[in-house]
Amino acid sequence: MNKRNLKGVFSLKNIICIFILQLLTIVLCVGCKNKTASGFSNWPYNIEGIYGSKIFVHNPVDGLLIDVKEKKITKLFDSEKVNATKVQGSTLVISDISPDYTHITFKFDGGDEDLIDKNKEEDQFKIYNIQSKELKTLISKGGYNAVGCWSKDGSKYIFSSNRLDSVYVYDVKSDKSQKIETPKGKLNRNCNIIYIKDKYILCVIDNSLYQYSDNSWNKVLDKWDGEIYSNSEDDCYLIDKKEVSKLIPKTRQVNKIYSIPTNSMNIPVWNNKDMFTFLNNNQLHVFNTLSNKEILFKVQDKLEDFPLCYISPNKDKILMRSYNDDKITVASIDSSKIYKYDTSKKSYLYPAGWYDNDSFILIDGKNVKKPKIVNLKTQKEKNLIGW
């Protein structure tokens, strides 16, 4: 895939989503046919999510939760039994684990929405109970390219798609879904949905931002094109091309809190919900929603694609690997020195967050059961599991 020179944060947000999926998916066999799990026995794992010291990885054989602090690996599911083996064309299985690691949602995602059979599993949305090993279909049609999120406590999952006329709220305890009809119009494709304060649902419908609470929908912003986020304190933030704003859901008041640097792109921070990162040439502007302050990182080389970013625990370093790059890069706010870890001969190695403020975690997609840490000061590697 060719590099692109993007102007603006969301001018090509669909392409950004594709790049990020390709980055997190360590190796994809584009165009392969359906296979049994045994046919994928040598496939590298995909990093699906990073939650503090826990790393969720998945391949067409199984899903694993790697706890680098406890030095423990737990098998969560068998991919074949939960119908999560398919990788075909641009379509892949996307999974989302609950905050308490008891449930996982599964959906199919990609650019084949007009080609898939709407009467088969590609259009279903499912949830899996890790403890009981029960797989349940929440909807049988409209699940392809659906968007959703877990509530902060993991008790509910909220989801919808641009081909559904409702938002669904699945309650884990009752094992039932509430169907909430949306206002006239369709959910914007590839635009996220959030659920905050155990009460408010926010999503974009026909380019307008809507909020649902107390059994009614209210329009917050008209003709708005942006993304919705929640931080660790369950507050709501809106990001468009020019600014970051904070939404007060009770009054639906929107307050600007940060001006985005000109010609910047919004880059996800994967280990910290409180940070927003904006890329501008060789500068990374990080906005902290808890302190309302900006942190500026400078790198030696211009970053033209979409780096995967992790902020260190002390918030003084940023760990990156770009899609087209053969290096893992670490920049510090108090030093012009840039640390680079060469992956040109180790293409399956990917950073998976920070172990402590001086060491980052390294995952080998071909051997995830032996994660390592790399110490920035000594530049030495150390096995965490599987000594």
Side-chain angles (χ1 to χ4, degrees):
M1 188 174 294
N2 295 329
K3 295 182 180 180
R4 299 176 185 264
N5 183 20
L6 299 186
K7 302 292 185 180
V9 179
F10 294 104
S11 58
L12 292 174
K13 61 185 176 185
N14 289 352
I15 295 176
I16 292 178
C17 293
I18 293 172
F19 265 71
I20 294 299
L21 284 172
Q22 288 176 318
L23 177 57
L24 287 177
T25 304
I26 299 175
V27 171
L28 289 179
C29 178
V30 177
C32 90
K33 303 299 181 182
N34 289 340
K35 299 182 181 180
T36 62
S38 59
F40 290 103
S41 58
N42 294 321
W43 271 53
Y45 283 82
N46 312 327
I47 299 175
E48 297 286 341
I50 298 171
Y51 316 93
S53 65
K54 296 179 175 64
I55 305 164
F56 174 32
V57 298
H58 171 215
N59 76 352
V61 176
D62 55 20
L64 305 174
L65 189 67
I66 304 170
D67 192 326
V68 296
K69 293 291 187 181
E70 297 294 329
K71 304 186 187 303
K72 182 173 66 174
I73 298 176
T74 304
K75 181 174 179 176
L76 302 177
F77 57 84
D78 183 300
S79 296
E80 192 169 26
K81 291 181 179 179
V82 298
N83 299 318
T85 62
K86 182 183 176 69
V87 181
Q88 185 173 358
S90 68
T91 294
L92 35 145
V93 178
I94 302 296
S95 48
D96 189 8
I97 192 168
S98 62
D100 57 1
Y101 314 107
T102 61
H103 292 76
I104 303 175
T105 62
F106 292 100
K107 66 166 183 172
F108 290 95
D109 198 282
D112 299 330
E113 188 171 300
D114 298 330
L115 303 176
I116 65 167
D117 187 337
K118 304 299 193 298
N119 296 312
K120 293 189 176 180
E121 65 174 21
E122 287 93 337
D123 210 25
Q124 297 176 0
F125 194 97
K126 300 179 181 181
I127 192 164
Y128 179 69
N129 186 317
I130 296 172
Q131 296 172 332
S132 68
K133 301 187 184 306
E134 179 185 0
L135 181 68
K136 180 176 182 177
T137 299
L138 298 184
I139 56 171
S140 57
K141 292 185 178 182
Y144 192 90
N145 281 338
V147 293
C149 67
W150 286 99
S151 60
K152 186 178 181 180
D153 62 359
S155 65
K156 297 180 180 68
Y157 193 82
I158 298 83
F159 67 97
S160 187
S161 81
N162 63 308
R163 290 186 293 110
L164 296 172
D165 59 4
S166 301
V167 171
Y168 292 82
V169 179
Y170 173 74
D171 186 280
V172 170
K173 187 176 181 179
S174 67
D175 194 28
K176 295 180 180 180
S177 295
Q178 177 189 5
K179 182 179 179 180
I180 303 171
E181 290 189 5
T182 55
K184 291 182 179 180
K186 294 293 183 181
L187 200 78
N188 279 30
R189 185 171 178 174
N190 291 328
C191 187
N192 54 343
I193 185 171
I194 68 166
Y195 180 72
I196 58 173
K197 310 295 185 186
D198 201 30
K199 181 177 182 179
Y200 303 98
I201 298 173
L202 288 114
C203 59
V204 180
I205 301 171
D206 281 354
N207 298 317
S208 293
L209 177 65
Y210 281 88
Q211 175 181 293
Y212 178 85
S213 62
D214 299 324
N215 298 316
S216 65
W217 288 95
N218 290 283
K219 185 183 290 188
V220 179
L221 293 172
D222 192 23
K223 296 180 180 179
W224 183 76
D225 182 24
E227 295 288 332
I228 323 161
Y229 295 93
S230 61
N231 70 353
S232 63
E233 295 188 348
D234 228 14
D235 291 325
C236 178
Y237 292 86
L238 312 175
I239 302 180
D240 60 22
K241 295 178 180 179
K242 296 182 178 180
E243 60 196 37
V244 177
S245 302
K246 184 175 182 179
L247 170 66
I248 310 301
K250 187 174 182 179
T251 61
R252 297 192 294 278
Q253 182 178 351
V254 177
N255 300 315
K256 175 184 173 181
I257 58 173
Y258 177 72
S259 295
I260 297 172
T262 306
N263 296 331
S264 296
M265 294 181 295
N266 180 21
I267 304 299
V269 178
W270 293 97
N271 67 325
N272 195 318
K273 292 182 66 176
D274 299 318
M275 305 285 189
F276 301 132
T277 301
F278 304 95
L279 170 63
N280 185 314
N281 294 324
N282 65 339
Q283 292 186 334
L284 284 162
H285 302 258
V286 180
F287 178 71
N288 187 338
T289 61
L290 299 182
S291 65
N292 284 343
K293 294 182 179 179
E294 180 191 73
I295 308 169
L296 180 63
F297 295 95
K298 294 183 179 181
V299 295
Q300 293 173 341
D301 304 317
K302 182 179 179 181
L303 300 173
E304 294 183 354
D305 54 3
F306 310 102
L308 190 65
C309 297
Y310 304 92
I311 306 295
S312 66
N314 291 351
K315 303 176 181 59
D316 60 341
K317 301 181 183 72
I318 189 165
L319 170 69
M320 301 164 282
R321 180 174 177 184
S322 298
Y323 173 69
N324 283 337
D325 201 357
D326 58 4
K327 296 177 290 295
I328 295 171
T329 302
V330 178
S332 304
I333 59 174
D334 56 354
S335 172
S336 58
K337 185 178 179 181
I338 304 295
Y339 174 84
K340 294 188 177 181
Y341 182 94
D342 187 8
T343 60
S344 58
K345 296 181 180 180
K346 307 171 184 178
S347 60
Y348 297 105
L349 292 178
Y350 274 75
W354 292 87
Y355 185 76
D356 55 38
N357 207 64
D358 294 317
S359 305
F360 65 86
I361 302 166
L362 198 62
I363 290 289
D364 185 340
K366 286 189 171 182
N367 192 5
V368 295
K369 295 182 179 180
K370 290 188 177 181
K372 298 179 179 181
I373 58 171
V374 179
N375 187 285
L376 299 175
K377 293 182 177 179
T378 65
Q379 299 188 17
K380 292 183 178 180
E381 300 179 13
K382 179 181 178 181
N383 289 330
L384 290 171
I385 303 173
W387 302 89

